[in-house]
Amino acid sequence: MEASAQAVDRAAFFEWLCRTGDNTLILGHRVSEWCGHAPALEEDIAISNTALDLIGQTQLWLEYAAEIEGEGRNADNLAFLRDAGAFRNVLLVERPNGDFGLTLMRQFLFDAYHMELLRALQSSTDTRVAEIAAKASKEVAYHLERSADLVVRLGDGSPESHARMQKSLNALWAYSGEMFMDDAVDQAMADAGIAPLPSSLKTGWEATLRHVFDEATLTIPEASWQHKGGKTGVHTEHLGFLLAEMQFLQRAYPGASW
Amino acid sequence: MDSQSHKMLPDLDQVWQWLAEVPDPEIPVITLTDLGIIRDVRLEDDTLVVAVTPTYSGCPATSIINLDIETALRARGIEKLRLERRLSPPWTSDWLSAEGREKLRAYGIAPPVDGTAADGVIAGRIARLTGSGNLVIACPFCGSNHTERLSQFGSTPCKASYRCKDCLEPFDYFKCI
């Protein structure tokens, strides 16, 4: 067991690991829904690769979560046998895919946050967290490069693509704030030196957004009321439909493996 | 059958040799040691421990690689064997062997140009957004430097898609991480 895991409240650490792993799991599943449907072959391949990376990272986070919990569960149990109220992902990642523009905007807003988070986690006092973050950050750098590139090309593209990207940004903006809201779990992680306070990541995230949106000729909406709840298990109805598909096999055939 | 403890313990150099004959399941022209994913081979008492690092955390080949290692070593008579996943330091394409790079090129996959990974500072990445920068990837078929990137992603997690503007062949680039 890692040294700092002893010092921190295990329930809070488990909660934080679930939040981190559930974000990658739910976004990974969401983007995998495009497999075979993306508008171009290269995009289909790119989005499926992104999904694969995110699911791989999920295994690392949720495997550790299960160990910290110490109840004999594993990453698969956490992914496939929890109901919506036990998921801790932010609401942004469970938003439906919409058109390709909305999917890309959601990806970019998350990738820019994810990059900041993983960079900070590489100096975590918890060795295993730092190692997972170092591994994942190499993959996420490619995710961000791609999503930022496409946001620019479509934002600064045709009148139609520009309008769709601006509409996507407007629609998702009220779901972006939850990534940076601190609560008692976050404070416990920060006090133990395991993870940064989410609010501390906002400046870097905003800088990335400004760079990319300037070039994409997109306008960040006026400050608005922000949705929250995902981090504490209060989800939109969309998560239930996602889980129904993702968990179907294990629910219908408990314990099935191949 | 005699237990392994009654036999000669395996020579570690020999084990490395055996692993150097196991092909990568996705790119069979290179071996697991060419890829640089075997990080350690050691004995713990009479158990042989092989530390393997994943290339990408979600790479579907990872479980096949572990199975192939186990199959290859069992076939050589190793009974007490443990595979260990090692995450740190994270795998980098810089660990591809010189020989492996040549095998990739001959197979039609452009080998990685070291030091060109995407995880530079944000500003550097943003600056590159409008073009593919000054990174030149030579066509593995005709050698031309007149190539263009089609996608940062390709047929496996470790590859990107390129096209040669001279011989017009599409090709994979083993991307840098």
Side-chain angles (χ1 to χ4, degrees):
Chain A
M1 196 56 56
E2 321 298 334
S4 62
Q6 303 293 347
V8 72
D9 178 62
R10 300 179 75 82
F13 196 15
F14 173 70
E15 186 79 5
W16 181 84
L17 287 164
C18 285
R19 290 175 177 182
T20 310
D22 287 348
N23 279 341
T24 53
L25 173 61
I26 300 303
L27 185 61
H29 185 82
R30 268 286 181 239
V31 295
S32 80
E33 293 171 5
W34 277 103
C35 184
H37 302 280
L41 180 61
E42 288 78 8
E43 281 312 306
D44 204 295
I45 290 171
I47 208 160
S48 302
N49 270 287
T50 303
L52 206 53
D53 288 341
L54 291 170
I55 301 299
Q57 293 164 19
T58 301
Q59 283 172 338
L60 299 174
W61 291 123
L62 292 188
E63 179 183 55
Y64 195 20
E67 285 174 33
I68 291 295
E69 183 193 38
E71 299 284 338
R73 296 202 278 185
N74 60 28
D76 282 347
N77 299 153
L78 290 174
F80 297 119
L81 300 178
R82 281 180 299 160
D83 208 347
F87 273 81
R88 295 293 182 260
N89 57 281
V90 293
L91 299 178
L92 175 71
V93 297
E94 70 195 45
R95 299 305 299 159
N97 284 337
D99 65 13
F100 205 64
L102 190 74
T103 293
L104 281 173
M105 184 58 75
R106 183 188 60 201
Q107 191 69 36
F108 172 65
L109 295 173
F110 184 79
D111 289 345
Y113 152 81
H114 206 188
M115 199 71 231
E116 296 296 323
L117 173 68
L118 294 173
R119 184 176 296 127
L121 288 179
Q122 289 177 60
S123 45
S124 172
T125 53
D126 186 277
T127 314
R128 183 129 156 223
V129 166
E131 287 182 2
I132 296 173
K135 180 78 193 158
S137 72
K138 291 178 163 227
E139 296 159 1
V140 170
Y142 274 96
H143 302 174
L144 178 59
E145 186 180 354
R146 167 179 169 269
S147 61
D149 182 25
L150 286 169
V151 163
V152 169
R153 284 160 66 181
L154 293 171
D156 189 23
S158 69
E160 172 73 16
S161 71
H162 173 84
R164 287 203 196 196
M165 294 312 279
Q166 185 64 56
K167 189 178 162 200
S168 299
L169 177 54
N170 296 348
L172 292 171
W173 190 249
Y175 294 94
S176 65
E178 191 185 5
M179 295 188 287
F180 307 102
M181 293 177 187
D182 304 335
D183 67 8
V185 169
D186 297 311
Q187 192 62 57
M189 292 302 102
D191 290 345
I194 293 177
L197 276 179
S199 57
S200 71
L201 304 173
K202 197 168 187 184
T203 309
W205 178 76
E206 286 174 337
T208 306
L209 262 56
R210 268 197 308 277
H211 274 294
V212 172
F213 289 152
D214 277 356
E215 204 177 340
T217 69
L218 297 173
T219 310
I220 293 179
E222 295 288 312
S224 69
W225 184 78
Q226 293 284 330
H227 294 277
K228 63 177 180 184
K231 283 172 67 168
T232 50
V234 182
H235 292 278
T236 61
E237 72 273 26
H238 305 294
L239 182 64
F241 290 102
L242 182 152
L243 295 182
E245 181 173 314
M246 186 179 85
Q247 298 181 333
F248 165 78
L249 199 128
Q250 283 301 322
R251 300 293 193 184
Y253 305 96
S257 66
W258 60 90
Chain B
M1 187 179 283
D2 289 333
S3 77
Q4 192 170 297
S5 55
H6 296 137
K7 294 181 183 174
M8 289 275 288
L9 290 174
D11 173 66
L12 296 182
D13 288 336
Q14 178 66 69
V15 173
W16 277 104
Q17 287 292 321
W18 290 335
L19 292 172
E21 293 168 17
V22 181
D24 175 76
E26 292 274 7
I27 313 171
V29 69
I30 54 173
T31 70
L32 300 185
T33 52
D34 283 333
L35 252 186
I37 58 173
I38 308 292
R39 303 312 300 161
D40 190 27
V41 174
R42 66 179 189 278
L43 282 166
E44 280 182 11
D45 297 325
D46 57 352
T47 299
L48 180 67
V49 181
V50 178
V52 188
T53 196
T55 50
Y56 286 73
S57 51
C59 183
T62 305
S63 59
I64 307 294
I65 287 171
N66 286 347
L67 189 66
D68 288 350
I69 291 172
E70 191 167 346
T71 306
L73 295 181
R74 298 259 183 245
R76 306 286 188 171
I78 303 291
E79 286 171 22
K80 294 192 175 177
L81 172 67
R82 184 161 59 81
L83 296 186
E84 181 180 271
R85 183 188 67 200
R86 184 172 295 180
L87 275 188
S88 183
W91 181 81
T92 162
S93 41
D94 296 352
W95 292 346
L96 270 171
S97 69
E99 195 187 348
R101 287 162 198 255
E102 279 318 305
K103 290 183 199 166
L104 281 176
R105 203 191 314 274
Y107 188 61
I109 298 172
V113 175
D114 289 351
T116 55
D119 59 353
V121 293
I122 290 275
R125 185 164 49 244
I126 300 301
R128 289 200 308 274
L129 282 177
T130 47
S132 50
N134 53 8
L135 172 61
V136 173
I137 309 295
C139 172
F141 299 110
C142 73
S144 166
N145 286 335
H146 196 211
T147 60
E148 65 177 343
R149 188 176 74 183
L150 299 178
S151 172
Q152 294 98 321
F153 295 86
S155 55
T156 65
C158 57
K159 287 179 286 183
S161 307
Y162 274 71
R163 173 165 59 198
C164 177
K165 293 202 246 186
D166 283 333
C167 75
L168 305 181
E169 283 292 329
F171 64 91
D172 281 333
Y173 167 59
F174 203 103
K175 72 191 186 198
C176 259
I177 67 166

